[in-house]
């Protein structure tokens, strides 16, 4: 199925409580979004999948959770004060600002893309993307600080504390998940380009002679995470090495992992070879030598850094776009979010067939309570069973449990699987354990089609 356009995803995300425009009742704010009740669960699941794969399951990577505001000299040394900027062009007539790379031609020759006037565009000027603020009660130049535009710098600045406290030798990595801020000139495409974003970054410190080997390793490893852990269709992913003229100021080589979005192939993650650029820069900036003893050579070395840097918001968007499917059934159409059970915000929904039968409702509520102790579960009786199934399909819930009149006699209920719509009849007391095992992939699904469900496709 071709990728759905963003409008379909934006509408589903809002309708079903994944993502809302920030401050919507005041008209919203471009580049800022709020994750709703289901969005926060999905986002947490994505972050957990990253942390587990990049930190918990490895021996050579440790974590960090650093402050968002760092000493302003960090950003001078890192090159962000001087170099983290885009060339911008202003229109003297309508006052709008554009990225120079988006304009087709020299500013003096072309009309303003907004108001259409010719001769009103200024020459390109560098515009720094860092958000500045003031620390302390007086707003003066000495109190200026920046909201971090990447999480990476804390891993360089804390390199020695981490290496010493955790007794690390090369190679090893420091990983962090957290918010970053960029005053993007053209935020947009839903949560693809934000001004407040979240990143999952890891700085992997290696001996300089091993740079190429580790770069290739991390490109392969990260691609595998998107396909095998997040379950993204490999057909919709590609690796794109950067041309020399598009490399960031700190990078010697970068390969992007891109996804085929409705807007075209776009970056999800960059794997960069940052060499010793940052550690040298902070050595010069702080006067403190950032190096590590290398047992093999018996010398102190300044490590090189291979950095896989991914965006959380883009990962969430990719899961939504890649999982979205529309299916024609015998009687109607359904939208299904075919996402991995581990990522689904709700793993099981309990749906009583008749909400006016107190005994049924009581059993269903008790079952929901038992399920919640094992997996994310919810109870819903606010519509007919057909509608309830559709709602759960649309939010990617892998299993629905229907408690029906027979349940009162046989003490069992029906589990229905999202993608196949087949069903299993399972004793109520075994349902939580069964669903937990299914979600974890420890046991195969053995459902059979049920004519009476009216869902046969
Ligand atoms: N530390 C390296 C670094 O920050 P980057 O390519 O600028 O590199 C890494 O950012 C990832 O962060 C990107 O691949 C993207 O997924 C995400 N990202 C960057 N800018 C973003 C924005 N404005 N909105 C959402 N995600 C963004």
């Amino acid at each position: 199925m071709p990728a759905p356009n963003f409008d379909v995803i934006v509408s589903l995300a809002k309708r079903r409580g994944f993502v809302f425009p920030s401050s919507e009742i005041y008209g919203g704010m471009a580049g800022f979004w709020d994750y709703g009740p289901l969005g926060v669960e999905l986002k947490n699941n994505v972050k957990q999948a990253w942390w587990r794969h990049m930190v918990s399951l490895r021996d050579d990577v440790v974590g960090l959770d650093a402050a968002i505001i760092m000493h302003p000299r960090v950003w001078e040394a890192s090159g962000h004060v001087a170099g983290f900027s885009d060339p911008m062009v202003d229109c003297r007539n309508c006052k709008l600002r554009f990225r120079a790379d988006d304009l087709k031609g020299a500013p003096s020759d072309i009309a303003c893309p907004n108001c259409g006037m010719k001769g009103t565009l200024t020459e390109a000027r560098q515009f720094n993307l860092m958000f500045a603020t003031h620390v302390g009660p007086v707003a003066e130049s000495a109190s200026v600080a920046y909201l971090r535009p990447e999480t990476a710098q804390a891993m360089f600045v804390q390199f020695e504390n981490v290496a010493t406290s955790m007794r690390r030798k090369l190679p090893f990595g420091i990983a962090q998940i957290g918010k970053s801020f960029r005053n993007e000139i053209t935020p947009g495409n839903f949560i693809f380009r934000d001004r407040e974003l979240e990143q999952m970054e890891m700085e992997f410190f290696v001996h300089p002679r091993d740079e190429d080997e580790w770069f290739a390793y991390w490109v392969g490893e990260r691609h595998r995470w998107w396909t095998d852990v997040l379950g993204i269709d490999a057909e919709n992913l590609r690796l794109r090495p950067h041309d020399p003229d598009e490399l960031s100021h700190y990078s010697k080589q970068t390969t992007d992992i891109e996804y085929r979005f409705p807007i075209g192939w776009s970056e999800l993650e960059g794997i960069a070879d940052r060499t010793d650029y940052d550690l040298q820069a902070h050595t010069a900036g702080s006067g403190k030598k950032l190096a590590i003893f290398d047992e093999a050579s018996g010398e102190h070395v300044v490590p090189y850094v291979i950095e896989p840097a991914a965006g959380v918001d883009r990962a969430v968007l990719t899961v939504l776009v890649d999982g979205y499917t529309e299916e024609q059934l015998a009687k109607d159409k359904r939208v299904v979010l075919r996402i991995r059970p581990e990522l689904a915000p709700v793993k099981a929904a309990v749906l009583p067939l008749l909400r006016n039968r107190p005994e049924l409702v009581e059993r269903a509520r008790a079952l929901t309570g038992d399920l919640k102790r094992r997996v994310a579960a919810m109870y819903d009786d606010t519509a007919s069973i057909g509608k309830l199934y559709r709602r759960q399909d649309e939010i990617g819930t892998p299993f629905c449990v229907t408690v029906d009149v027979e349940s009162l006699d046989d003490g069992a209920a029906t589990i229905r699987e999202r993608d196949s719509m087949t069903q299993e009849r399972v004793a109520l007391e075994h349902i939580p354990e069964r669903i937990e095992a299914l979600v974890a992939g420890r046991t195969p699904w053995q459902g059979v089609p049920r004519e009476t469900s009216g869902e046969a496709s």
Side-chain angles (χ1 to χ4, degrees), residues 323-456:
Y324 183 93
T325 15
E326 287 175 8
E327 284 178 16
Q328 188 59 50
L329 304 181
K331 291 188 192 143
D332 62 352
K333 214 173 83 168
R334 71 168 186 155
V335 170
V336 198
L337 204 55
R338 289 177 178 262
I339 59 178
R340 291 262 157 115
E342 306 91 290
L343 298 179
V346 178
K347 316 294 186 206
V350 182
L351 319 169
L353 202 59
L354 301 168
R355 67 181 144 160
N356 54 4
R357 289 284 296 269
E359 328 86 279
L360 262 187
V361 169
E362 197 185 313
R363 292 255 172 132
R365 285 207 180 269
L367 176 62
T368 312
D370 292 343
L371 267 164
K372 275 175 181 282
R373 276 186 271 279
R374 291 177 184 261
V375 294
M378 68 177 284
Y379 170 90
D380 196 0
D381 67 3
T382 55
S384 67
I385 191 71
K387 278 206 178 121
L388 293 177
Y389 278 152
R390 293 293 167 270
R391 266 187 216 162
Q392 296 298 333
D393 289 343
E394 230 183 350
I395 64 168
T397 305
F399 301 104
C400 288
V401 184
T402 309
V403 180
D404 51 31
V405 183
E406 273 174 52
S407 306
L408 300 176
D409 295 330
D410 67 1
T414 302
I415 307 179
R416 175 253 200 199
E417 196 267 338
R418 178 195 68 203
D419 296 345
S420 62
M421 294 182 291
T422 54
Q423 305 189 344
E424 278 182 10
R425 189 86 183 161
V426 178
L428 284 167
E429 73 261 32
H430 295 315
I431 286 179
E433 196 187 341
R434 173 95 184 109
I435 288 186
E436 187 184 37
L438 285 166
V439 169
R442 288 199 300 268
T443 175
W445 172 249
Q446 291 171 333
V448 291
R450 272 280 296 255
E451 291 296 316
T452 52
S453 69
E455 289 203 312

Side-chain angles (χ1 to χ4, degrees), residues 31 33 182 184 187-188 190-197 313:
W33 297 90
R182 299 182 182 187
E184 299 281 2
F190 191 33
I191 50 174
F192 183 81
R193 192 177 304 286
D194 310 317
R195 289 178 165 143
E196 177 173 336
L197 54 132
D313 311 272

Side-chain angles (χ1 to χ4, degrees), residues 129-149:
L129 300 184
M130 282 197 293
F131 278 104
T133 184
H134 291 274
V135 175
V138 187
E140 57 186 10
S141 60
S143 66
V144 168
Y146 302 100
L147 303 191
R148 67 182 177 200

Side-chain angles (χ1 to χ4, degrees), residues 143-178:
S143 66
V144 168
Y146 302 100
L147 303 191
R148 67 182 177 200
E150 62 170 6
T151 63
Q153 291 304 318
M155 277 86 98
F156 303 126
V157 172
Q158 293 293 6
F159 166 73
E160 197 167 273
N161 278 335
V162 173
T164 309
S165 61
M166 302 305 288
R167 301 167 304 282
R168 290 287 136 170
K169 297 190 184 84
L170 296 182
F172 79 95
I174 310 178
Q176 178 168 213
I177 299 178

Side-chain angles (χ1 to χ4, degrees), residues 50 109 111 180 191 202 214 235 290 363 386 396:
W50 187 88
D109 300 341
S180 295
I191 50 174
M202 197 272 287
W214 279 110
E235 291 277 302
L290 297 173
R363 292 255 172 132

Side-chain angles (χ1 to χ4, degrees), residues 232-261:
I232 304 303
D233 185 349
E235 291 277 302
N236 292 328
L237 289 171
R238 75 173 185 193
L239 296 174
R240 192 183 67 80
H242 278 206
D243 290 333
D245 64 352
E246 60 173 323
L247 289 171
S248 304
H249 62 275
Y250 50 71
S251 174
K252 181 173 157 190
Q253 50 181 335
T254 295
T255 292
D256 282 347
I257 299 175
E258 296 186 334
Y259 182 78
R260 197 202 318 243
F261 281 111

